[in-house]
Amino acid sequence: VGALAALTAATVEVVRDPTLLQVLLVLSPIFVLSVHLKSSMTREVSLSASNPILIAAYLIGGWPVACVVGVSAIVLDRRKQLSRIMYNNAQWVLMGLAGGLVYDTMGGQSMKKLPDVGFSPELLIAIVVSIAAVIAVNAALMLGILAFQEQIKPGTIWRSMVLTSVGPYFAYGLLGLLMAVLWSIGGGFAAALVLLPLLVARRAFNQ
């Protein structure tokens, strides 16, 4: 219910603002293309190339764009069970909402303004904390669903995530910052080039 309310509010905001709609139209296809690029870090947890794109979405267009981008890959979920579709998309919405709100609360501003305002330590802190919020929401949701469906003890899942997943997940999420910086320099086309390092990073995690 919370994810649906957030998605509704986000959609209204994006439709009202042509600049946000432009960001959405660029990032959504990239998100859809990357949704299958996953790297298994543990038996239970995989890392999606879509995570950095979600982070870039709120760094560039705020939490409304991140929420809507997060459900853009629903077009690929038609063969999945309804419950799984709802869970997957709610997860993306809540991750984008958490990261975007934390970033805004800490004084973060659109990375499109980076050439004018410059990159400050305060901005970096806001980005780092927002990525941590995304990781925390994802971990909490994964912890719940794995404990319920797979009957795995929460403590086992938590140790696995902390010891083997949080570090790589955070480093991988910083590629979202790279994407946002490229956007500030060369627009949407330059930002799309981040798929190249994403592919390299994916191969490194698989090894």
mmCIF file of all heavy atoms in Angstrom, residues 31 57 59 71 84-85 125 131 175-176:
data_model
loop_
_atom_site.group_PDB
_atom_site.id
_atom_site.type_symbol
_atom_site.label_atom_id
_atom_site.label_comp_id
_atom_site.label_asym_id
_atom_site.label_seq_id
_atom_site.Cartn_x
_atom_site.Cartn_y
_atom_site.Cartn_z
ATOM 1 N N PHE A 31 16.989 1.275 -17.783
ATOM 2 C CA PHE A 31 16.636 0.418 -16.654
ATOM 3 C C PHE A 31 16.096 -0.918 -17.147
ATOM 4 O O PHE A 31 16.461 -1.982 -16.636
ATOM 5 C CB PHE A 31 15.601 1.138 -15.784
ATOM 6 C CG PHE A 31 15.269 0.423 -14.506
ATOM 7 C CD1 PHE A 31 16.008 0.658 -13.357
ATOM 8 C CD2 PHE A 31 14.218 -0.478 -14.439
ATOM 9 C CE1 PHE A 31 15.710 0.008 -12.168
ATOM 10 C CE2 PHE A 31 13.906 -1.131 -13.261
ATOM 11 C CZ PHE A 31 14.659 -0.885 -12.121
ATOM 12 N N ALA A 57 18.755 7.880 -10.917
ATOM 13 C CA ALA A 57 17.451 8.486 -11.168
ATOM 14 C C ALA A 57 17.111 9.534 -10.117
ATOM 15 O O ALA A 57 16.650 10.632 -10.440
ATOM 16 C CB ALA A 57 16.369 7.408 -11.211
ATOM 17 N N LEU A 59 19.318 10.984 -8.079
ATOM 18 C CA LEU A 59 20.352 12.014 -8.086
ATOM 19 C C LEU A 59 20.098 13.048 -9.173
ATOM 20 O O LEU A 59 20.446 14.225 -9.025
ATOM 21 C CB LEU A 59 21.736 11.388 -8.291
ATOM 22 C CG LEU A 59 22.275 10.499 -7.167
ATOM 23 C CD1 LEU A 59 23.649 9.953 -7.534
ATOM 24 C CD2 LEU A 59 22.349 11.262 -5.855
ATOM 25 N N VAL A 71 9.577 0.953 -11.666
ATOM 26 C CA VAL A 71 8.527 0.035 -12.125
ATOM 27 C C VAL A 71 8.491 -0.066 -13.646
ATOM 28 O O VAL A 71 7.617 -0.744 -14.193
ATOM 29 C CB VAL A 71 7.137 0.462 -11.607
ATOM 30 C CG1 VAL A 71 7.101 0.439 -10.097
ATOM 31 C CG2 VAL A 71 6.747 1.842 -12.132
ATOM 32 N N ARG A 84 4.728 -12.085 -7.191
ATOM 33 C CA ARG A 84 6.139 -11.762 -7.405
ATOM 34 C C ARG A 84 6.292 -10.432 -8.132
ATOM 35 O O ARG A 84 7.192 -9.651 -7.830
ATOM 36 C CB ARG A 84 6.817 -12.878 -8.209
ATOM 37 C CG ARG A 84 8.310 -12.683 -8.365
ATOM 38 C CD ARG A 84 8.970 -13.880 -9.006
ATOM 39 N NE ARG A 84 10.398 -13.697 -9.148
ATOM 40 C CZ ARG A 84 11.218 -14.573 -9.708
ATOM 41 N NH1 ARG A 84 10.735 -15.726 -10.163
ATOM 42 N NH2 ARG A 84 12.507 -14.330 -9.809
ATOM 43 N N ILE A 85 5.406 -10.168 -9.095
ATOM 44 C CA ILE A 85 5.436 -8.888 -9.800
ATOM 45 C C ILE A 85 5.214 -7.739 -8.830
ATOM 46 O O ILE A 85 5.928 -6.730 -8.855
ATOM 47 C CB ILE A 85 4.363 -8.860 -10.917
ATOM 48 C CG1 ILE A 85 4.702 -9.882 -12.014
ATOM 49 C CG2 ILE A 85 4.250 -7.459 -11.523
ATOM 50 C CD1 ILE A 85 3.622 -10.006 -13.072
ATOM 51 N N ILE A 125 28.504 13.453 1.048
ATOM 52 C CA ILE A 125 27.935 12.811 2.232
ATOM 53 C C ILE A 125 26.471 12.451 1.996
ATOM 54 O O ILE A 125 26.019 11.353 2.345
ATOM 55 C CB ILE A 125 28.074 13.731 3.458
ATOM 56 C CG1 ILE A 125 29.548 13.877 3.834
ATOM 57 C CG2 ILE A 125 27.282 13.173 4.642
ATOM 58 C CD1 ILE A 125 29.803 14.889 4.934
ATOM 59 N N ILE A 131 22.682 6.205 -0.553
ATOM 60 C CA ILE A 131 22.966 4.851 -1.050
ATOM 61 C C ILE A 131 22.836 3.844 0.096
ATOM 62 O O ILE A 131 22.314 2.742 -0.093
ATOM 63 C CB ILE A 131 24.367 4.786 -1.679
ATOM 64 C CG1 ILE A 131 24.414 5.641 -2.948
ATOM 65 C CG2 ILE A 131 24.740 3.337 -2.018
ATOM 66 C CD1 ILE A 131 25.792 5.715 -3.586
ATOM 67 N N LEU A 175 28.379 3.568 -8.959
ATOM 68 C CA LEU A 175 28.306 3.759 -10.405
ATOM 69 C C LEU A 175 27.095 4.621 -10.773
ATOM 70 O O LEU A 175 27.076 5.242 -11.829
ATOM 71 C CB LEU A 175 28.235 2.402 -11.119
ATOM 72 C CG LEU A 175 29.528 1.588 -11.100
ATOM 73 C CD1 LEU A 175 29.304 0.220 -11.725
ATOM 74 C CD2 LEU A 175 30.646 2.317 -11.827
ATOM 75 N N GLY A 176 26.091 4.631 -9.903
ATOM 76 C CA GLY A 176 24.966 5.538 -10.122
ATOM 77 C C GLY A 176 25.411 6.986 -10.054
ATOM 78 O O GLY A 176 24.918 7.844 -10.794
#
